[in-house]
Amino acid sequence: MTFVGTPRPRPRWYHAHTDLEDFAIVSYRVDADALARHLPEGFAPMETTFGDGPGALVSAVAFRDRDFHFRFLPQVAIDCGQINYRAYVTAYGQAGVWFFGTRLDHPVVAIPQHLWGMPWRRDHIRVEADWLSTPAHWRLSSTDARCEAVELPRPPMPLDGFPDDSHWLERLTHPTQGWYQRRDGRVGVYSIWHPIMRPRHLEATFARFPFFERLGLITPDTPPHSVLAQARIPFDIHTPPHRLHPEPQAQRATEA
């Protein structure tokens, strides 16, 4: 089976667009029951069978936004570092990611934080990479996270927990819907689109993500499950997010 991605929804004037540079998905294997305790009712971890037993996955996704802008205001664009902390879940018959939180290195963080009630915070973030060196290397440093990784001489065959490339490409690189807990306690939802990623496989030489440690999902010496990285990829963000209405979604899933 070859993963073919998803069709691109027609961009709307109120959507946002950005190019993500020095993009990397640093994933960790975690206990599914421990992860489930952090999810709201109706949400469940997507469990995976690894070589030595079952589990689930969470990821820190770090990159540099390049020319992030709303389509109705292209002349106002920002460049900054960003880290998304997410888990792979299902909710009401749909697969996607649960966003624990986001860190952004720009004052515009106030828009998602206060206008949309999203769990975003300001942080100093530096993401850099050298894609031309042999091996290529990638580095993240922020107030609350640090990771250094180098490209593997060859991709793992297969990636632990997945029968083939199509399965991990879809799960780890192509979730198009995300949920989060709003400041008012309700669940918010939004979606994105991007072309199929062609990530390179890296290995972490050092990694600390205290965000996940405080949730009790990993320890300081837990090694990442994988590091998938790409030099640049365009993203559509279907702003604004909205509140989740689970009953109609659950009914539609039942009817289907």
Side-chain angles (χ1 to χ4, degrees):
M1 181 179 71
T2 301
F3 180 61
V4 297
T6 53
R8 184 184 190 184
R10 182 167 65 89
R12 306 285 185 168
W13 64 270
Y14 46 81
H15 288 169
H17 181 80
T18 184
D19 286 334
L20 307 187
E21 295 185 343
D22 298 334
F23 177 96
I25 304 169
V26 185
S27 299
Y28 284 90
R29 174 182 170 179
V30 300
D31 179 77
D33 290 337
L35 175 57
R37 289 194 286 270
H38 295 286
L39 302 176
E41 183 179 357
F43 288 75
M46 296 181 70
E47 297 194 44
T48 299
T49 301
F50 297 94
D52 58 353
L57 288 164
V58 299
S59 298
V61 184
F63 50 86
R64 288 185 294 114
D65 281 296
R66 177 68 65 187
D67 294 331
F68 176 97
H69 63 275
F70 293 99
R71 291 187 177 275
F72 64 84
L73 202 62
Q75 65 271 32
V76 180
I78 66 169
D79 301 333
C80 64
Q82 182 170 332
I83 308 172
N84 295 330
Y85 295 97
R86 71 191 194 188
Y88 303 90
V89 302
T90 58
Y92 306 103
Q94 300 183 55
V97 287
W98 176 261
F99 282 95
F100 292 110
T102 289
R103 299 295 179 262
L104 192 76
D105 195 0
H106 197 280
V108 79
V109 71
I111 294 178
Q113 185 181 50
H114 297 292
L115 183 62
W116 300 328
M118 302 180 81
W120 288 38
R121 300 289 183 271
R122 182 83 184 269
D123 195 3
H124 296 291
I125 301 169
R126 183 174 181 179
V127 182
E128 55 189 351
D130 184 347
W131 302 106
L132 299 179
S133 64
T134 305
H137 60 265
W138 178 90
R139 181 180 295 109
L140 160 71
S141 61
S142 75
T143 306
D144 197 38
R146 183 185 162 200
C147 185
E148 298 181 12
V150 297
E151 188 168 17
L152 291 167
R154 62 187 62 84
M157 299 292 287
L159 190 64
D160 189 22
F162 299 93
D164 55 41
D165 289 352
S166 292
H167 284 80
W168 64 255
L169 270 170
E170 183 174 11
R171 173 82 61 86
L172 296 176
T173 75
H174 209 82
T176 58
Q177 181 158 264
W179 301 274
Y180 63 94
Q181 186 165 25
R182 292 160 41 107
R183 291 167 59 124
D184 61 9
R186 299 186 181 187
V187 173
V189 59
Y190 72 100
S191 62
I192 57 91
W193 177 88
H194 59 78
I196 298 175
M197 291 186 182
R198 303 298 181 193
R200 295 159 70 166
H201 293 264
L202 280 64
E203 181 179 38
T205 57
F206 181 89
R208 279 290 307 275
F209 291 94
F211 189 103
F212 288 141
E213 295 170 21
R214 291 190 291 270
L215 292 176
L217 298 175
I218 63 173
T219 64
D221 59 351
T222 301
H225 163 270
S226 57
V227 181
L228 303 171
Q230 187 159 322
R232 188 182 183 106
I233 187 166
F235 259 65
D236 292 338
I237 304 98
H238 305 141
T239 50
H242 57 274
R243 285 184 297 181
L244 175 67
H245 301 287
E247 292 81 6
Q249 290 193 28
Q251 182 66 27
R252 284 196 296 270
T254 302
E255 292 172 351

